[in-house]
Amino acid sequence: MPTPVIVVGYDAAWPDRFSEVSQSLRALLGDAVHAVDHVGSTAVPGLAAKPVIDVDVTLCSRERIEAACRCMADAGYGTRGNRYDDDMWAFLSKGEPACRVYLCPPENETHRRRLVFRDRLRQDGALRAAYGALKQRLSVQFPLDGDAYTAAKRSFIEAAIGSSPLSGR
């Protein structure tokens, strides 16, 4: 089934929605949680985004992943598997607010790179504007193909991370 790609203007309510989701996840997963981070475009003030809150939950240890995955599934989150072949387990909630939750082990590289990109977008208005324009163009080009939309953004993201003093390179 095609995944519609709908990009909307920034919504100032997204940080509050993230806070609600974060509290819910901390209550659900308890002491397995090391950190909960708002990632993705909804975490960047002023940036257009798909209206889905992206959340990375870093767990205290790799050994907690299996039990945390069971908790997420039991709570009604749709399981999406190991999306990045990086021990980052994805879940989807179509409730209000819609959100994607990624369970990460400590020191996860994908999570680290997502934080670097988010922070770079927050700090650099020109980069943020260029990324927003790209997202709008790609949503028109791939209106029913979320995977192609995401893949087409990859080179922009890699370039932004590679040029960031935060990247550790």
Side-chain angles (χ1 to χ4, degrees), residues 76-97:
Y77 283 85
T79 58
R80 304 284 303 220
N82 185 354
R83 300 291 284 180
Y84 301 101
D85 294 326
D86 190 19
D87 286 333
M88 183 178 236
W89 297 89
F91 296 85
L92 179 65
S93 169
K94 294 184 180 180
E96 186 59 36

Side-chain angles (χ1 to χ4, degrees), residues 26 40 50 55 72 108 110 120 122 136-137 158 165:
R26 286 180 180 279
K50 294 187 293 181
V55 180
M72 295 292 291
N108 180 270
T110 300
R120 183 75 199 278
R122 285 176 172 175
Q136 293 289 358
R137 282 193 311 275
E158 290 300 317

Side-chain angles (χ1 to χ4, degrees), residues 31-114:
D31 66 356
V33 175
H34 171 72
V36 180
D37 292 294
H38 191 184
V39 296
S41 295
T42 62
V44 180
L47 183 61
K50 294 187 293 181
V52 178
I53 307 298
D54 288 315
V55 180
D56 281 3
V57 177
T58 303
L59 300 176
C60 293
S61 70
R62 186 173 303 281
E63 293 75 30
R64 306 289 279 287
I65 291 175
E66 187 175 330
C69 286
R70 276 195 306 275
C71 280
M72 295 292 291
D74 290 348
Y77 283 85
T79 58
R80 304 284 303 220
N82 185 354
R83 300 291 284 180
Y84 301 101
D85 294 326
D86 190 19
D87 286 333
M88 183 178 236
W89 297 89
F91 296 85
L92 179 65
S93 169
K94 294 184 180 180
E96 186 59 36
C99 64
R100 282 184 297 252
V101 178
Y102 300 87
L103 299 181
C104 314
E107 308 299 322
N108 180 270
E109 181 65 11
T110 300
H111 170 65
R112 185 192 70 78
R113 294 172 64 77
R114 287 158 60 117

Side-chain angles (χ1 to χ4, degrees), residues 83-84 113 117 131 134 138 146-161:
R83 300 291 284 180
Y84 301 101
R113 294 172 64 77
F117 186 57
Y131 188 55
L134 174 65
L138 294 175
D147 290 339
Y149 166 84
T150 298
K153 296 185 301 180
R154 194 164 291 128
S155 63
F156 183 97
I157 294 167
E158 290 300 317
I161 291 171

